[in-house]
Amino acid sequence: MTRIIAIANQKGGVGKTTCAINIAYGWARLRGPDRVLLVDADPQANATSVALGVPFANGPRQAGVGILYEVLLERAAASDVIQTVEIEGNHRYADTALDILPAHLQLAEAEAQLMGEFHREYKLKNALAEIEDDYEVIIIDCPPSLGVLTMNALLAANEVIIPVEPGIFPLVGIQYLNSTIGKIQRVNQALQITGVLPTMGDRTVLARETREQLFKSFNGAVLPDVPRRVSIGEANAAGLDIFGFEPDGDSAAAFEDVVREVIARG
Ligand SMILES: Nc1ncnc2c1ncn2[C@@H]1O[C@H](COP(=O)(O)OP(=O)(O)O)[C@@H](O)[C@H]1O
Ligand SMILES: [Mg+2]
């Protein structure tokens, strides 16, 4: 069965997109090409910016080239809008490739346009049903809200990873997300929490206390930490994953640990 993993947290800036990109690219690098689909379900289209370039994600819409918007409104099939991204190798990682189902700012309009539609929360699930057998894993980057787009992701998914930054407020937000996941599990019994993922970790007391609290609340479901590193932001800005940007750094090693652990939990 294809693993369909939503990267979700209604809070913005916790590292969702960074984790979605690096888990998807890392998976493609470790397991070989043609196994991974990255679905960008955030109108901010940051994952699309990295995979396909800023002009595609933020520039004018290209005629005849679809995005998730058309798929959710049933104007295109997922297979019509998916693009393949070639990923350059280096001395540590071989050349590979992954597929992306892109977003664009226009995706923001889908939320309002789906409002009156029957089964509006199931559009992504239905669209992925036609292509999911082509992949080993589908990673969905969610927007920072619990609106229709995130609901589509959580109903399409069979797993969820929750990135959490250090602090007390993120933990309060997790309780809320947890109760949302609980509600979704009543209609999508397949949905499992694969793990919470401590991001932007540093040596502060707050970061340590956050990890301890996560271990208390989620037991074994805490994934290896991702440290706070300037290079992680720089890689995003350069349009690269951390494995391509700084293959020998501790950030790449940390994300490789995360990817191996997520693969192992399947
Ligand atoms: N581990 C990290 N260390 C340093 N900066 C990070 C890290 N993870 C994310 N960032 C930066 O923090 C900002 C928010 O991250 P992002 O992944 O876009 O979060 P979200 O998708 O949850 O809004 C981005 O500018 C990103 O480059
Ligand atoms: Mg994001």
Side-chain angles (χ1 to χ4, degrees):
M1 194 179 73
T2 302
R3 297 179 66 184
I4 305 181
I5 308 176
I7 314 290
N9 187 331
Q10 74 272 25
K11 195 171 181 305
V14 298
K16 284 184 296 298
T17 300
T18 303
C19 292
I21 290 165
N22 287 303
I23 292 172
Y25 277 66
W27 196 303
R29 287 185 184 279
L30 295 179
R31 305 277 281 184
D34 307 326
R35 291 166 172 263
V36 182
L37 172 65
L38 175 59
V39 176
D40 190 352
D42 185 355
Q44 289 181 31
N46 294 332
T48 302
S49 296
V50 170
L52 300 178
V54 172
F56 184 95
N58 297 334
R61 290 290 312 276
Q62 287 168 252
V65 183
I67 58 159
L68 183 60
Y69 174 80
E70 280 79 24
V71 174
L72 294 179
L73 293 175
E74 296 176 66
R75 294 175 191 168
S79 55
D80 296 334
V81 311
I82 286 171
Q83 298 191 34
T84 299
V85 180
E86 303 294 332
I87 304 172
E88 220 174 289
N90 50 47
H91 59 283
R92 288 188 76 97
Y93 303 98
D95 287 346
T96 189
L98 64 68
D99 283 2
I100 177 155
L101 202 170
H104 178 275
L105 198 57
Q106 195 185 0
L107 180 59
E109 295 167 24
E111 196 117 9
Q113 292 182 10
L114 284 171
M115 237 24 229
E117 291 242 356
F118 189 60
H119 277 179
R120 62 178 174 272
E121 278 102 3
Y122 289 91
K123 303 291 180 186
L124 183 59
K125 183 182 177 66
N126 295 339
L128 294 183
E130 291 171 21
I131 49 141
E132 62 184 52
D133 290 346
D134 296 344
Y135 301 98
E136 183 178 31
V137 68
I138 299 175
I139 306 281
I140 309 172
D141 185 28
C142 293
S145 71
L146 288 174
V148 172
L149 293 170
T150 298
M151 291 302 165
N152 264 279
L154 291 175
L155 284 164
N158 44 38
E159 301 182 41
V160 57
I161 290 175
I162 309 167
V164 189
E165 61 177 345
I168 283 305
F169 293 119
L171 296 175
V172 176
I174 279 204
Q175 308 297 339
Y176 184 61
L177 180 63
N178 233 344
S179 78
T180 303
I181 289 170
K183 283 179 201 154
I184 287 172
Q185 280 169 331
R186 274 180 239 148
V187 285
N188 175 12
Q189 271 112 14
L191 187 67
Q192 302 288 331
I193 298 179
T194 301
V196 293
L197 176 47
T199 59
M200 308 199 200
D202 49 28
R203 292 168 185 280
T204 58
V205 174
L206 192 60
R208 193 182 38 152
E209 285 178 354
T210 303
R211 287 190 82 253
E212 284 168 5
Q213 198 59 46
L214 289 176
F215 271 99
K216 271 191 211 139
S217 309
F218 290 92
N219 299 316
V222 183
L223 290 163
D225 297 43
V226 174
R228 184 187 294 275
R229 293 286 181 272
V230 173
S231 59
I232 293 178
E234 286 174 345
N236 286 346
L240 290 169
D241 62 328
I242 194 65
F243 307 101
F245 185 76
E246 198 184 60
D248 297 318
D250 70 342
S251 311
F255 267 114
E256 189 170 324
D257 284 349
V258 171
V259 175
R260 288 191 189 284
E261 182 62 28
V262 175
I263 290 171
R265 287 181 188 201

